[in-house]
């Protein structure tokens, strides 16, 4: 059946066997052929496609924009797990196609709930910057019994509105959430307060923080210490605007209602922010919130992450030291944030020291994410050969398996430095690990091999690309033809000598 990867067929076909056979196919068309033809070889009463088979087929055709929407519409109409299947496929669909599939499948499918796929499509629209389309999609399905809107959905909408500098609209959504029986999440506050402050809407930002403090006082402080970032953003903005007296009042309320330790609430004296310059006020606010206000791992962590994100590495390192003096052990996410900040500042050598020295000193083991961040930083600073060492180090570390993202970062980095032979070796490992390279990655490697005279290797990768159901671009064909003609002329010249 078909010309893809050979399949040994049992006497009785089980869905798990067919799902595995579909996953082993390189070419999406061969996977579709197996899905359609395999059941016909067995009695209809002995076999029926399961959700595992549906999921395997959708994963196999996810790299083919022409195949995925049609097969989704076909599968969703008969699967009770249509919601989860569509949610898993949404990242591989164009936004318009995802909305179309959702609209067309909802009436005919036996699935009762569509909340997962609704959230996935909303997230997809927002990630592509399609804010009007996302708002329209939300309005169309708000109140439908099949869709349950969650706080996360509106938080994503608020975040995107803040990204496009529309805090007025974000504020309307935030105020509407209680009317929908939804409680605002910390992410909503963290998105909206800094943008309100940047827009000069300090009174509105103060009102939002007061409402957050009311919620904290109603349900306790546990888990809300990450709001220190929100408190800090408002207090610094008030001081920068010359409203130090109001900042003192807000800080006093934060200490009494928004911090964890009762003893610190009684003993902490609010600093005189009105008489300080902005830098001294910023430092006083950070000390009041973290060191003297609510000394917990999460309080240190939230502020350190925010400082690294702002590129204030020295202040973050000072808080790192304070955290250690208080007996708190930093978590791996703090070191990953430090590596990211150092790489962003083109300090890749310092990032290497963090992974090789600081993690070991604190008894932490790097994860795949840690390695990926460092490898990306090295590739961005044109040190991809050095980044290869960390792929080998991952191989030696138990339980640390390189994924598609790791290989893709290395392939792109090596190609950007014209290390095409090494990039081909990395991509060979990628294929052997059953990861599918992107069309652009195939193209870069093939063109690069042609440019260094490795025409035969380029042709092998062309064959591999076609086996994966990908079609080369015109300029890739042009490079192959030019390289092959050049190689032929060289052979002819050598033969006539």
């Amino acid at each position: 059946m078909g010309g893809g990867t050979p399949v040994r067929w049992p006497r009785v076909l089980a869905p798990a066997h067919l799902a595995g056979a579909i996953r082993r196919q390189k070419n999406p068309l061969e996977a579709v052929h197996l899905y359609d033809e395999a059941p016909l070889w067995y009695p209809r009463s002995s076999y029926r496609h399961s959700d595992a088979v549906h999921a395997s087929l959708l994963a196999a055709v996810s790299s083919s924009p022409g195949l995925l929407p049609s097969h989704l519409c076909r599968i969703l109409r008969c699967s009770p797990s249509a919601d989860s299947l569509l949610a898993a496929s949404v990242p591989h669909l164009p936004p318009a196609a995802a909305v179309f599939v959702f609209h067309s499948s909802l009436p005919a499918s036996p699935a009762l709930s569509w909340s997962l796929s609704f959230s996935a499509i909303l997230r997809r629209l927002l990630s592509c910057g399609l804010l009007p389309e996302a708002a329209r999609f939300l309005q169309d399905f708000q109140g439908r019994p099949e869709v349950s809107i969650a706080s996360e959905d509106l938080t994503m909408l608020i975040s995107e509105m803040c990204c496009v500098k529309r805090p007025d609209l974000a504020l309307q959504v935030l105020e509407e959430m209680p009317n929908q029986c939804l409680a605002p999440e910390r992410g909503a506050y963290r998105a909206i307060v800094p943008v309100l402050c940047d827009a000069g809407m300090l009174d509105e930002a103060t009102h939002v923080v007061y409402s957050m403090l009311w919620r904290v006082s109603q349900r306790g402080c546990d888990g809300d210490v990450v709001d220190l970032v929100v408190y800090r953003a408002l207090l610094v903005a008030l001081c920068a605007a010359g409203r130090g007296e109001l900042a003192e009042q807000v800080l006093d309320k934060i200490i009494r209602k928004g911090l964890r330790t009762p003893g610190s609430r009684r003993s902490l004296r609010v600093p005189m922010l009105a008489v300080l310059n902005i830098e001294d006020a910023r430092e006083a606010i950070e000390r009041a919130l973290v060191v003297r206000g609510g000394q917990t791992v999460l309080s240190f962590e939230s502020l350190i992450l925010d400082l690294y994100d702002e590129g204030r590495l020295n202040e973050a390192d000072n808080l790192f030291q304070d955290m250690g003096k208080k007996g708190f052990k930093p978590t791996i996410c703090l070191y990953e944030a430090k590596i990211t900040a150092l790489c962003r500042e083109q300090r890749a050598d310092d990032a290497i020291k963090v992974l090789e020295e600081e993690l070991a000193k604190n008894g932490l083991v790097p994860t795949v994410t840690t390695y990926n961040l460092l490898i990306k930083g090295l590739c961005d600073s044109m040190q991809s050969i050095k980044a290869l060492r960390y792929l080998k180090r991952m191989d030696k570390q138990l339980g640390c398996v390189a994924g598609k993202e790791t290989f893709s970062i290395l392939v792109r980095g090596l190609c950007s430095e014209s290390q095409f032979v090494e990039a081909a070796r990395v991509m060979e490992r990628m294929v052997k690990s059953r990861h599918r390279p992107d069309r652009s990655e195939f193209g870069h490697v093939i063109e690069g091999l042609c440019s260094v005279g490795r025409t035969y290797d380029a042709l092998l990768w062309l064959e591999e690309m076609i086996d994966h159901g990908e079609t080369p671009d015109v300029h890739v064909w042009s490079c192959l033809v030019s390289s092959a003609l050049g190689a032929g002329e060289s052979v002819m010249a050598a033969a006539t000598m």
Side-chain angles (χ1 to χ4, degrees), residues 336-373:
E336 290 173 352
K338 186 173 184 179
I339 289 172
T340 303
L342 289 168
C343 291
R344 192 168 55 238
E345 298 288 329
Q346 300 296 314
R347 295 168 57 184
D349 292 336
D350 293 332
I352 290 174
K353 290 180 182 178
V354 173
L355 187 141
E356 295 186 348
E357 298 175 11
E358 294 186 26
L359 284 178
K361 189 185 299 183
N362 287 276
L364 295 172
V365 178
T367 63
V368 174
T369 302
T370 315
Y371 281 113
N372 286 348
L373 292 171

Side-chain angles (χ1 to χ4, degrees), residues 159-431:
S159 299
E160 184 60 27
M161 288 175 172
C162 292
C163 289
V164 298
K165 306 301 181 185
R166 291 301 306 268
D168 52 334
L169 297 179
L171 193 59
Q172 292 178 22
V173 176
L174 184 72
E175 293 171 349
E176 179 63 22
M177 291 182 74
N179 297 333
Q180 302 292 327
C181 300
L182 297 173
E185 294 186 332
R186 291 192 300 269
Y189 291 119
R190 295 191 68 172
I192 196 171
V193 170
V195 179
L196 287 171
C197 294
D198 292 341
M201 302 170 67
L202 296 178
D203 292 331
E204 291 83 353
T206 303
H207 176 73
V208 170
V209 170
Y210 281 170
S211 68
M212 182 174 63
L213 291 175
W214 179 82
R215 288 186 58 238
V216 171
S217 66
Q218 294 296 307
R219 65 176 187 172
C221 299
D222 192 29
D224 284 280
V225 284
V226 294
D227 290 335
L228 289 179
V229 175
V230 178
Y231 303 152
R232 172 176 165 270
L234 175 62
L235 293 170
V236 171
L238 288 171
C239 292
R243 302 176 67 176
E245 295 83 359
L246 179 57
E248 293 172 10
Q249 297 175 21
V250 175
L251 180 56
D252 181 61
K253 288 194 175 184
I254 289 171
I255 291 169
R256 288 188 290 105
K257 294 185 178 181
L259 295 179
R260 178 188 293 259
T261 312
S264 65
R265 296 177 195 167
R266 292 192 299 268
S267 62
L268 179 60
R269 182 179 178 181
V270 177
M272 303 294 292
L273 301 176
V275 299
L276 300 176
N277 61 43
I278 184 60
E279 292 301 325
D280 292 340
R282 189 193 303 269
E283 184 177 352
I285 289 166
E286 291 168 356
R287 293 287 172 181
L289 290 178
V290 180
V291 179
R292 296 163 63 190
Q295 298 174 14
T296 65
V297 175
L298 287 177
S299 64
F300 279 107
E301 208 171 82
S302 61
L303 206 51
I304 290 172
L305 289 174
D306 200 46
L307 290 171
Y308 277 134
D309 188 54
E310 294 176 3
R312 298 169 59 195
L313 275 68
N314 292 332
E315 292 92 332
D317 290 340
N318 291 337
L319 275 182
F320 235 122
Q321 295 175 4
D322 291 337
M323 187 176 182
K325 291 176 183 178
K326 297 297 179 182
F328 298 122
K329 183 178 178 181
T331 58
I332 189 68
C333 69
L334 287 180
Y335 288 104
E336 290 173 352
K338 186 173 184 179
I339 289 172
T340 303
L342 289 168
C343 291
R344 192 168 55 238
E345 298 288 329
Q346 300 296 314
R347 295 168 57 184
D349 292 336
D350 293 332
I352 290 174
K353 290 180 182 178
V354 173
L355 187 141
E356 295 186 348
E357 298 175 11
E358 294 186 26
L359 284 178
K361 189 185 299 183
N362 287 276
L364 295 172
V365 178
T367 63
V368 174
T369 302
T370 315
Y371 281 113
N372 286 348
L373 292 171
L374 180 58
I375 289 172
K376 187 178 186 304
L378 289 169
C379 290
D380 290 342
S381 59
M382 307 301 285
Q383 300 182 59
S384 55
I385 296 296
K386 186 182 289 187
L388 272 176
R389 291 175 10 205
Y390 292 94
L391 179 62
K392 297 175 183 177
R393 182 165 172 171
M394 292 176 73
D395 295 335
K396 296 177 182 178
Q397 183 176 319
L398 185 65
C400 191
V401 182
K404 179 181 178 179
E405 183 181 0
T406 310
F407 292 120
S408 295
I409 293 170
L410 281 168
V411 168
R412 292 178 187 137
L414 289 164
C415 288
S416 68
E417 296 183 47
S418 300
Q419 300 289 339
F420 301 112
V421 176
E422 291 294 336
R425 289 176 183 156
V426 172
M427 199 157 76
E428 184 178 1
R429 277 200 54 186
M430 184 179 184
V431 172

Side-chain angles (χ1 to χ4, degrees), residues 17 50 158 267 375 488:
H17 189 101
S50 69
I158 290 172
S267 62
I375 289 172

Side-chain angles (χ1 to χ4, degrees), residues 453-492:
R454 304 289 289 265
T455 309
Y456 179 73
D457 293 335
L459 289 171
L460 292 178
W461 279 112
L462 174 65
E463 183 180 349
E464 184 72 26
M465 183 178 185
I466 294 172
D467 285 344
H468 280 81
E470 299 286 355
T471 304
D473 293 329
V474 174
H475 60 274
V476 175
W477 284 114
S478 178
C479 288
L480 282 165
V481 172
S482 300
S483 180
L485 290 175
E489 291 174 359
S490 300
V491 172
M492 291 292 292

